[in-house]
Amino acid sequence: MGTLYDTKKGFLLKMIAILILLLCVLEPIHAVDGVGNSIVSSLKSNSVNIGALLTSDSIIGKAAKRGIEAAVDDINADSSILRDTRLNLTYHDANCSGFLATVDALQLLEKDVAVVIGPQTSGISHVVSDVVNELHVPLLSLATDPTLTALQYPYFLRATQSDYFQMSAIADIIDHFGWREVITIYVDDDCGRNGISALGDALVEKRGTISYKAALSPGASADDISDLLVQINLFESRVFIVHVNPDTGLTVFSVAKTLGMMKDGYVWIATDWLASVLDASEPLDHDTMNHLQGVLALRHHIPSSDRKKGFLSRWKHLKYTGNWSVNSYTFYAYDSVWLAAHALDSFLSNGGNLSFSSDPKLNVVKGSSINLSSLRIFEGGPGLLKALLATNYTGFAGHYQFDSQKNLVDPTLDILNIVGTGSRRIGCWSNYTSLTVVDPDNPKSENGSSNEEKLYSVIWPGQTTKIPRGWVFPDNGKPLRIAVPNRVSFQEFVAKAKDPPGVLGYCIDVFEAAVSLLPYPVPRTYVLYGNGRRNPVYNDIVYDVSQHKYDAAVGDITMTTNRTRIVDFTQPFLESGLVIVAPVKTRKSSPWAFLQPFTLEMWIVTGAFFILVGFIVWILEHRINSEFRGSPRQQLMTIFWFSFSTMFFAHRENTVSTLGRSVLIIWLFVVLIITQSYTASLTSLLTVQQLTTGVQGLDSLVANGEPIGVQDGSFVRNYLISEKDIAPSRIISLKNQQDYMDALDRGPANGGVAAIIDELPYIEVFLANVDCAYEVVGQEFTKSGWGFVFQRDSPLAVDLSTAILQLSENGNLQRIHDKWLVKTDCSSQDNTSVEENRLSLESFWGLFLIMGSTCLLALICFALKVLAQYFEFNSTEDSTAEETESGDSSMKNRPFLRLSSFRELMEFVDKKEAEVKEILRSKKSMVRRPGDSSRSSVSDAQLQDGSVSDGQVQDSPTRV
């Protein structure tokens, strides 16, 4: 806002010069004594002079004057305020002339007024504000110029709303409907220029802009207006903001109607001047209303109240109203007088004095007929200003309270839609709620509206409810200039053509298909960018679009962060990303290839478990299964044979124990998984391709220090330098696909490159043309896409994005892709290293954990069972020994009957379980029949050496 004050510097200097000239010719009313001392005079205590400076022949001036007169009469008739003091109104007409208004202002201030109300024009307000600051007279201004602030004019108080707020409201409306550019039509005076400047600032915050400022002279004729409208109709934007004087504003719409600019597709938004005309001039004639159909207008919100209804009911009976109705300025003027009256009442009640004195600083010319003492300082001005700021008053326009800038707080505006013979409110705006449909007088009344609803539906010009697009292609005979890269490689995407439109390729077909879906024609011409000998620099294309050298750019242009800061992209029409391509060859077979599927740790653990499981099964089966018995050599061979034969499920030994079968079932499941995994891994390793270089991905490529190839003109070079800190000397630009192959075939040692980094669409085309002689290494390490480029905030970018989505949904985008691009499966082949394909212990430790746990549990169960038999056997032996203590001495000395060493335990475990059970039965029989030492025909020697068989134990006769 500070720059706005600078524009007034020349004007204010002229006004000061006019003031000096006027003071030379004004008749002196008050005098000073011979020595120059000021003479202080005081008004009668029963009257107070207040001044009003308005333009009587203007709509706002007439409405405000009648409000002031009505307020003065009501105050003088009200004994509760100012009691015995009467208000004297001194009115001067500004006559719509800056010079005459200045004269009237000075004459008004000669009358020793305590408060001045008005003026409503910006230029006069600036001059009067300077004068009242010097004379300490508070000014209740009806001017809306946002550059009038209390920082510059301490005695300035704005008794209406600043244009700053209604311009913010217009910016919110523009943003709500998604428009980005507007054209402003305004009167070329202080109020018009400063208001439009405030609108421009508000639009910038919403990413909007004023594409053209159309200025009208204050006294513009219908022909001047027509010429201006014809000029702006050639521009792209169809959103017009009209900020003009109420007295000539209707002519703008009348001419626009004649020119066909009030039809479907146009948007017209008027500031508060239009509502002032409609409210003060009701009813308007049919022709005037017909010119305004579909227009949006702002109006200062005046709350509904019983007091307001009573005032309106008696308005027609007031002697000075004539045929005029009231508008918002009537209420603001009326409230200003009451505000001044309340402040004067408080000021006088607290001992304030209405005294005036001459200012010695004004007596700068001596010995001359010029007498500046006619303008006197109001001694009570500071006190009255303080009383005005502290006054708590609620008037027709709402609660009067001033902020730090001495503007009224809580500004509220009604948003009107002109339809039929009147208008309807579609919403409100305030600085604390922005746009809303909630009635500010009764916030709880809008029960049927959504909390997120900002505006009701609008009937636009042309009697349509469809939201206008807000722009068209300029009607100036100039088609869009679209830059197209003149590529020398990968011409499947875009290339020069002999036939119209002069270019062809995948990107061109996508753009043409998207444009064909738009509901309006797009005149365009393609301009090749580049010399045709090498690929152009794509960053330069984007920059030239941002600098308005081209309207758009169509081609294989990648969306990057830096580019999106200066231009707008459409929805991506092709996904992209950076990949690495390197030379490959078929891996030579090795005599030891069968060992490669498993790592060394995997082989060791697997072999150990084969032996472990065989040993565990032998332990579990040895006591009850004759196939696991025999000489030590035979049993060892059985363990190894059984273990490794399970790999092929060819084991011939049967398991009879429950524990043995449980272990075997789990082990066979583990063997099945291991053998299948081994087979799959071996098959993959025998057919895998191996990189000729050591590049495994981006990290290894960056670290090895070898040359890297990139496409000429691509953004990849800057990306690798800035993002990956790769030295520029390592990066080699390659012009075409033949350069790609030559550089990869030569390799780093012969002046070539270790690998090439490029975008995936290019690499897919390249690999398809070389029959997969090279391979993509690793994964994409960036994700982006290709889009069409437009200037910032271009509405065409939004519409084309929608069209691209439609192409994707109906399948046409894929059909265009299949027409131009052949996708290869090279990038999907497995080109990882042998080490990456080998199966490690990490993949199978869960299986081995289950197998080990099963074996451990089986051993624990087996051990508990054996120990139980062992202890039972010992207890039976002890009982038998006691009963035969006096018997045969040979029975006492048998070592088998008293097991006292680990060796004896192992010998017990090694015996068949059937023999142990038979011995236990025999021992128990001997305990039940004491004295019979000959119960069994089995000799002790046979029991000791285990030579007796199961049949012998079962069939031996009992001695009698």
Side-chain angles (χ1 to χ4, degrees), residues 490-520:
F490 298 106
Q491 294 187 342
E492 296 87 347
F493 297 104
V494 62
K496 180 181 178 180
K498 297 180 179 179
D499 300 328
V503 288
L504 54 78
Y506 167 74
C507 299
I508 302 301
D509 281 5
V510 172
F511 182 76
E512 291 289 336
V515 169
S516 67
L517 296 178
L518 299 180
Y520 48 86

Side-chain angles (χ1 to χ4, degrees), residues 157-265:
L157 290 87
R158 197 189 307 274
T160 184
Q161 300 295 348
S162 170
D163 278 346
Y164 170 82
F165 298 110
Q166 70 170 335
M167 295 307 172
S168 297
I170 291 175
D172 284 342
I173 294 173
I174 299 300
D175 182 64
H176 172 70
F177 289 110
W179 302 316
R180 286 291 173 261
E181 293 185 359
V182 302
I183 294 176
T184 58
I185 303 172
Y186 64 98
V187 175
D188 193 14
D189 58 11
D190 288 342
C191 184
R193 288 190 298 269
N194 296 337
I196 296 304
S197 179
L199 175 61
D201 294 339
L203 286 174
V204 168
E205 296 179 0
K206 304 293 182 180
R207 287 196 63 184
T209 184
I210 299 175
S211 60
Y212 185 75
K213 297 179 181 180
L216 288 170
S217 61
S221 64
D223 291 338
D224 295 334
I225 295 174
S226 178
D227 293 340
L228 183 67
L229 293 183
V230 169
Q231 179 184 356
I232 64 176
N233 200 38
L234 299 177
F235 290 94
E236 180 180 282
S237 178
R238 284 295 180 264
V239 182
F240 302 110
I241 311 300
V242 185
H243 184 54
V244 296
N245 295 327
D247 307 278
T248 58
L250 293 178
T251 307
V252 174
F253 291 104
S254 176
V255 174
K257 181 73 173 180
T258 304
L259 295 176
M261 298 175 65
M262 297 298 298
K263 60 184 181 181
D264 185 16

